[in-house]
Amino acid sequence: MVPTAPKARRRPDLSEAFGTMAGMASTTDDTQIIDIDVSQEMRESFLEYAYSVIYSRALPDARDGLKPVQRRIVFQMDRMGLRPDKGHVKSSRVVGEVMGRLHPHGDKPIYDAAVRMAQPFNMRLPLIDGHGNFGSLDDGPAAPRYTEIRLTAAALAMSADLDEDTVDMVPNYDSTYQQPEVLPAAIPNLLVNGSSGIAVGMATNMPPHNLTEVIAGARHLLAHPDATLDDIMRFIPGPDLPEGGKIVGLDGIRDAYESGRGMFRTRATTRIENVTARKKGIIVTELPYQVGPEKVIEKIKAAVSSKRLTGITAVQNLTDRHHGLRLVIELKNTVNPEAVLAQLYKLTPMEDPFSINNVALVDGRPQTLGLIDLLRVFIEHRLDVTRRRSAFRLGKAKDRLHLVEGLLIAILDIDEVIAVIRSSDDAAAARDRLTKVFDLTDVQADYILELRLRRLTKFSRIELETERDELLKTIAELEEILGSPERLRTVVSDELAEVARHYGTERRTILLESAGGEQIATTGSVEVKDEPCWVMLSASGLIARTEERPERGGERRSHDAMCSAVPATTRGQVGVVTSDGLVHRIDVVDAPALPGSSGAPSLAGGTPVGELLPPGSQPLALMSFDSQVPMALATRDGKIKRVNPETLQKDSWSLITLADGDEVVGAAPAGDDAIIALVTSDAQLLRFGADLVRPQGRTGQGIAGIRLADGAHVLALGVVRDEDLSAARLVTIAGTSDALPGTEPGSVKVTPLDRYPAKGRGTGGVRCQRFLRGEDTLTTAFIGPDPRAIGGGGQPIDLPEDDERRDASGQPATTVISGIG
């Protein structure tokens, strides 16, 4: 305890200086000095400061995921009418309005917050549409006088229904304006965009997630309040970072989802290719979250100068706005590119840890929240918003119905109403007489007196009766919502589904359970032995190699939907058939090696095959250069072709000549004893013997495979050996053609392939699934034994039991299926 100062005579100059400098005393009059306890004053002042930083500046609210400055920016821009259909305005104008009306902490933090909400590399779903230089991961933004901003469509969803008493309004810093305590937030912004901030004694650091996945998890929790973390993680397998990349190791993510704290590693997306005719290089197309290319280059140069990193001759940053990130790391001819890549992961930010600390405000108190807790806070907020909005709309509807009923009474006796008004001395007398003669309320009478006579026509009566019926229907619906918790939860769930449909996007970040084949020695050169192996391609686009022959069956694991596998050697090459009718030669050594295992292999350690192909190529299947079995190709327009095996001394060559607008939709080896099956978008299946398709050369266009109806196209190709026909299954998923891909689960059907009769090539096939109400197309089809399905995060999804009826309807799915193999 600091001792208090002794009392003394009044000495204005010394006492005032002492009180000002030390903060220990203040005067109440000219003759008295009040002594205070410095330790107590410091304690109270520090607590007030800490509370202000925690509550008013650094931590987001768990309901709308916004800090106060972000919330005030979105609210003020909404009040200024800066919507997506309006023009941009100077950032300085917005900063000034926010600072003058709502935020007392200066212009710099306001502009910094607005810039972050406009940066697509920081926000998974930006809330501000910026025009001008808003900076990069290596450079800051331009001054606010040089940039312009407006709200995005997603920001409108955050502030929607704000004027319908959905949230509490509180005074601003000087009690001259009202501002929302929290935004209605139709989007789970805290999980989707993440947050970071340092308060007093605590901090928050939350990664972004995929909107579609988060809403799917929230809707599942709405329908099943007792759902476990494993149930929710089937929908939300992990973060989805704005710039893509890879997340290596999922154990830390589960820890964070369970306790609110955890750690995962983010890894750059790379591929090894020839940068010149004789020199290889590492091409970096995506970097870890919040890591810029200049930072990586700086670390590479420092490691090369200190001789900790060897084998690199040059680094070039070829990033531009049209092609995105492209970092070219040139290598010496004598080094193994995989060994250098492993050194880069170890010594540079190309592999970077991210610590999760889910701290947010709940009822004004900072709490560390797990995934289910975060979803529950958001769900409760949306339930409260929807409840208050419904009560507000119900009151408005009842008030309007009251006026409409008064008008209908007046129209029935219009002549008498006019007579009463004309014979009244003043408006007050007219109101009193109307209330007595026609049994109206004062509100109805005042409304009739203020009404123009042209409204009281026969046509207006029809309009009023129609409006009355609609109001009665609206009131009944709103009362049902307010009176039924189940109905309220249904409304919230439907609104969330609509948000996902409007603003949802595909997952950008790949989730890897472990480093897989990329976890190799970080020193010296790694020589790969030339040994037999199998190269596998998964339905999610991952490629890997294994020493053992992959077999179907066994325990279910992530990424086990294998769609193609061919034998090869580790020093050999295989081909990747793509949708443009080309086969691309790739080195087997570029596919990461997986440990041998019995049963269905897990491709979680694989690498995206797109990294080994030219940009824009869509892989379909693998092709062995040593096989003498013809390769069957099916095109979107119904063509079928078997091409003779032929290997050219090129990096890629054509397997089929395609017509304009046509593309290959499936490829697989097909001997003369094989069975070929084609599935179309209008749910038609045709199977016939492969011997009906004569093998052709590379330049052939193929022959008619199936007759298509108007507007239909071929969706999938299946090739099954005759002895495997009884084990083969047809999996089809039906949906709507106008739905956003990856947002609609649809209905799923599994049927033995032998239930469909064989027909002649070039015919129309038979129906393989009956559409449910609202469905008009097949979105996915697969033919093969032991089908496996996966979600967007690689998680396994159970398929329904076999349906022996070949044209039955499917069973509604609860989860979006992204791949089948």
Side-chain angles (χ1 to χ4, degrees), residues 392 717 793:
F392 178 86
L717 162 75

Side-chain angles (χ1 to χ4, degrees), residues 774-794:
E775 298 176 343
D776 60 1
T777 186
L778 289 185
T779 59
T780 304
F782 170 81
I783 301 169
D786 188 30
R788 302 288 181 95
I790 59 172

